[in-house]
Amino acid sequence: MSWLIHRVDDRLIHGQVVVAWGARLRPRRMWVVDDAAAASPWERDLLAGAAPGVEVRVLTVAEGAAGHAEEAVAEGGALLLVRDLATARALVEAGAAVTSYNIGGLHYAAGKDKINEYVYLDDADRAHARALLDRGVALVVQDVPATRPQALTALDPGLATR
Amino acid sequence: MTVPLLIVTHGALGRALVEAAREVSGDVSGIEQLSNEDMSAESLAEAIHGRLEHWPSGGIVLCDLPGGSTHTRAMAAARGVPGVEVITGGNLPMLLFYLSRRDELPVHELALGMCERGQKCIRSQRADTP
């Protein structure tokens, strides 16, 4: 089985991930790759209890990259979460062989442009997205399995006209 | 003293719960609610924390989905705030129990009572025997 999906979602583990993707993909493990969460015992505990019946691992980017290949051949499926495109890029640049990221939720913050109802990007986000695209990593926007997946480049003219 | 309540849900569930409780119970004054619609994790936690700041003696945050952003962000917002109880699995019987006892019970006992009532009201029955 191995890797089922790699997702960029500022909510990390939450309802859409546990309920919608969980029911569709049936992951045995969830990896949360996030330096800040990994450094906080409190945050790790909270995330560990957020997906009933699933083993949650909260890892730094370095740990995530180091263990990525091993998980790819492990028994049972795994789902990976990062909270932003900067972390998504850092994970790939640290050596994780990610071929595609699901863009599941990057919500509004000041200075960000609306791409759709749940994706907002600023120039820094676009720079990370371009770096990932240049490495051949697909960026596919889709919040839940029931909605149509769309390429981020098709939704964001700022990315397409580089 | 009345224990304050903040309902935090997905979509329109919180608004609907308060509306339904109003129909059954009449007085839902003071109940606050927030939806996670279109909110980042950070802004949701900030919005929840902004409400908790006004609770001098603690209170109750009623969430819908355990493990959902409503729950994890409520926990993040309530971190270190004295006397705040975060409850998941919110339903109408829990809210009605809260309304009936919010002027009598302290925060912890009220929260436990809400959980007990909510759980007791979840049952499955059949009516297809002749």
Side-chain angles (χ1 to χ4, degrees):
Chain A
M1 284 284 282
S2 76
W3 287 114
L4 300 165
I5 193 168
H6 295 76
R7 179 172 169 100
V8 184
D9 188 331
D10 54 28
R11 295 177 180 180
L12 296 175
I13 298 178
H14 69 107
Q16 289 179 348
V17 173
V18 174
V19 178
W21 289 102
R24 170 66 63 95
L25 300 174
R26 306 257 173 219
R28 193 180 292 184
R29 290 172 296 281
M30 279 189 197
W31 287 35
V32 176
V33 176
D34 193 82
D35 286 345
S40 161
W42 186 88
E43 191 83 14
R44 284 206 308 270
D45 277 355
L46 184 64
L47 288 163
V54 178
E55 180 194 340
V56 175
R57 297 177 183 174
V58 184
L59 305 167
T60 64
V61 169
E63 290 166 345
H68 192 271
E70 194 177 333
E71 177 63 63
V73 294
E75 195 180 328
L79 179 158
L80 184 145
L81 293 161
V82 293
R83 74 166 80 230
D84 52 30
L85 285 162
T87 312
R89 177 186 182 178
L91 183 64
V92 170
E93 291 183 345
V98 181
T99 55
S100 175
Y101 275 111
N102 160 253
I103 311 294
L106 292 170
H107 291 83
Y108 174 77
K112 300 211 179 200
D113 304 320
K114 182 174 184 173
I115 307 303
N116 72 4
E117 293 305 316
Y118 55 88
V119 178
Y120 292 76
L121 302 180
D122 61 17
D123 289 345
D125 295 323
R126 288 194 174 91
H128 297 309
R130 283 198 192 97
L132 285 164
L133 292 165
D134 287 347
R135 282 173 166 267
V137 180
L139 300 176
V140 181
V141 177
Q142 186 181 22
D143 56 350
V144 290
T147 60
R148 186 167 64 94
Q150 290 177 283
L152 181 62
T153 49
L155 290 174
D156 184 9
L159 268 181
T161 58
R162 52 176 311 225
Chain B
M1 201 180 123
T2 303
V3 175
L5 178 75
L6 171 65
I7 300 174
V8 186
T9 69
H10 292 73
L13 181 58
R15 288 193 291 280
L17 267 177
V18 174
E19 212 34 61
R22 190 196 314 276
E23 282 182 30
V24 178
S25 159
D27 179 20
V28 293
S29 59
I31 295 179
E32 298 183 81
Q33 72 87 25
L34 279 171
S35 167
N36 69 352
E37 280 170 305
D38 303 327
M39 289 183 103
S40 69
E42 201 177 324
S43 56
L44 180 62
E46 278 171 17
I48 297 169
H49 190 77
R51 309 294 177 99
L52 307 189
E53 278 180 333
H54 300 293
W55 294 356
S57 318
I60 295 171
V61 183
L62 182 63
C63 307
D64 49 3
L65 188 66
S69 61
T70 51
H71 172 213
T72 61
R73 291 313 97 197
M75 290 294 290
R79 189 181 179 195
V81 183
V84 173
E85 299 258 348
V86 177
I87 304 177
T88 55
N91 59 29
L92 185 58
M94 295 164 86
L95 185 53
L96 296 174
F97 181 90
Y98 163 81
L99 284 166
S100 69
R101 308 296 296 276
R102 64 175 172 177
D103 296 322
E104 304 163 21
L105 294 176
V107 173
H108 182 62
E109 286 70 17
L110 184 57
L112 291 181
M114 289 168 69
C115 292
E116 191 182 339
R117 177 62 58 88
Q119 286 164 357
K120 272 189 182 163
C121 289
I122 295 172
R123 44 179 109 136
S124 175
Q125 296 172 296
R126 291 179 70 138
D128 57 358
T129 49

